[in-house]
């Protein structure tokens, strides 16, 4: 399969390696806002660029009917517009705040736990995410997905990084060294705590998930999620 990489930083380089190992060809590596891009050879585009660049990269691909796997976080204020452009152009799209198998299982576990805790008012939820110091956005896209998973299955109405109200999930974002990505959710009562946690040991899981998603989406049309790709029920 011919893959185009939009963004050739930490993730782009790791995706390239995994894609080559799995027998794919990299037909473009786009690092800046290039005007002259040849879309004709691309079976699938994978965007791991920057919050400020993702929307334009993704929608340009849709206009050329190239399916997109989008891992860039921090641009979701334009997500609905991007989905519309995908549909209008009969293209295909998967956005995931986290492409790793482990985190996608963790997303399911988080929702299950939120349902169980919904009626237990004695427990208060909080979340912590830790990433490397080069990360541009906070909280992480993964933390936002986790918060949405709780909000959709409980009486919590939103999330906040600071000064969360009683019905909002407080999220703490820490930036420490080279940390690839650690997310934990804590329910605390006066007598005990329940914590679930996912720790990425490196970026390989994210990159492999993105390549698997690219393989899965080739030839499809529409908007999908990693739950479709991984058959997680
Ligand atoms: N969904 C997931 O599973 C994961 C998502 N991410 C997200 O992916 C994104 C990238 O992460 P990471 O690779 O670590 O970041 P890096 O900063 O290492 O790489 C980003 C790259 O994008 C390049 N870039 C800048 N402008 C553009 C543009 N207009 N078009 C294309 N590329 C451009 C940068 O070039 P230059 O340096 O020259 O500016 C840089 O090489 C982040 O948003 C991160 O949060 C990361 C890991 C997993
Ligand atoms: O920027 C990163 O590094 C990561 N970003 C994603 C996020 O914002 O959740 C996924 C992963 O945690 C690594």
């Amino acid at each position: 399969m011919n893959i185009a990489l939009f963004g050739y930083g930490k993730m782009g380089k790791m995706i390239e390696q995994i894609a080559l190992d799995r027998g794919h060809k990299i037909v473009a590596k786009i690092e800046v806002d290039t005007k002259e891009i040849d879309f004709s050879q691309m079976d699938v585009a994978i965007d791991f660029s920057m919050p400020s660049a993702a929307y334009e990269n993704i929608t340009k691909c849709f206009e050329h009917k190239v399916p997109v796997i989008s891992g860039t976080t921090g641009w979701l204020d334009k997500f609905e517009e991007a989905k519309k452009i995908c549909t209008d152009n009969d293209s295909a799209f998967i956005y995931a705040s986290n492409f790793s198998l482990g985190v996608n299982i963790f997303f399911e576990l988080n929702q299950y736990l939120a349902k169980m805790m919904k009626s237990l008012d004695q427990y208060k939820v909080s979340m912590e995410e830790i990433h490397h110091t080069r990360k541009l956005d906070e909280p992480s896209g993964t933390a936002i997905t986790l918060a949405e998973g709780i909000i959709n299955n409980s009486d919590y109405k939103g999330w906040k990084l600071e000064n969360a109200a009683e019905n909002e999930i407080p999220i703490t974002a820490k930036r420490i060294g080279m940390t690839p990505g650690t997310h934990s959710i804590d329910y605390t009562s006066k007598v005990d705590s329940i914590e679930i946690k996912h720790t990425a040991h490196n970026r390989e899981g994210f990159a492999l998930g993105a390549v698997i998603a690219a393989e899965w989406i080739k030839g499809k049309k529409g908007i999908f999620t990693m739950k479709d790709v991984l058959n997680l029920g």
Side-chain angles (χ1 to χ4, degrees):
M1 182 167 68
N2 286 351
I3 296 177
L5 298 174
F6 285 78
Y8 192 58
K10 293 183 284 301
M11 283 301 296
K13 291 188 175 81
M14 186 156 282
I15 289 168
E16 175 182 41
Q17 198 48 59
I18 290 174
L20 293 174
D21 289 349
R22 290 170 74 92
H24 304 302
K25 192 171 164 195
I26 304 300
V27 292
K29 296 172 197 173
I30 289 122
E31 281 188 271
V32 284
D33 186 16
T34 316
K35 296 274 175 292
E36 301 299 320
I37 301 175
D38 178 9
F39 290 89
S40 67
Q41 301 303 310
M42 301 176 189
D43 290 321
V44 178
I46 302 182
D47 185 287
F48 281 76
S49 57
M50 299 181 80
S52 56
Y55 175 80
E56 203 183 326
N57 289 342
I58 294 166
T59 52
K60 259 194 230 162
C61 290
F62 292 151
E63 282 159 12
H64 291 83
K65 300 204 181 297
V66 175
V68 176
I69 302 303
S70 160
T72 308
T73 52
W75 65 277
L76 288 193
D77 51 326
K78 293 194 164 163
F79 190 42
E80 293 307 316
E81 283 170 62
K83 287 199 281 190
K84 185 174 183 315
I85 294 173
C86 172
T87 308
D88 288 351
N89 287 283
D90 216 13
S91 192
F93 188 26
I94 295 177
Y95 164 78
S97 60
N98 199 305
F99 278 92
S100 78
L101 173 62
V103 162
N104 281 277
I105 293 168
F106 191 63
F107 285 154
E108 298 299 306
L109 185 63
N110 170 53
Q111 293 187 48
Y112 183 74
L113 183 58
K115 272 182 217 159
M116 285 179 71
M117 302 305 284
K118 182 176 162 114
S119 58
L120 301 176
D121 293 343
Q122 62 271 46
Y123 287 94
K124 291 285 160 242
V125 76
S126 63
M127 197 184 298
E128 181 183 88
E129 58 99 333
I130 311 174
H131 284 84
H132 53 95
T133 52
R134 307 291 297 271
K135 186 159 178 60
L136 297 177
D137 52 320
E138 69 170 29
S140 66
T142 305
I144 294 173
T145 306
L146 288 164
E148 286 167 352
I150 298 171
I151 292 161
N152 292 336
N153 291 286
S154 72
D155 294 326
Y156 285 94
K157 301 287 180 228
W159 56 264
K160 280 259 174 70
L161 278 168
E162 277 166 17
N163 303 320
E166 191 65 9
N167 63 357
E168 291 172 330
I169 303 162
I171 304 181
T172 305
K174 293 184 177 167
R175 298 292 171 255
I176 302 174
M178 313 273 277
T179 312
T182 302
H183 294 87
S184 53
I185 296 153
D186 179 275
Y187 288 85
T188 290
S189 76
K190 283 198 176 117
V191 296
D192 59 7
S193 293
I194 301 167
E195 186 185 46
I196 58 171
K197 180 175 182 179
H198 178 273
T199 306
H201 299 315
N202 52 54
R203 291 188 176 81
E204 247 178 81
F206 312 139
L208 176 61
V211 176
I212 288 172
E215 291 165 353
W216 185 91
I217 208 168
K218 190 184 167 208
K220 293 189 173 69
K221 291 186 191 312
I223 294 159
F224 305 97
T225 67
M226 274 309 271
K227 213 170 152 173
D228 301 312
V229 177
L230 297 170
N231 242 325
L232 286 178

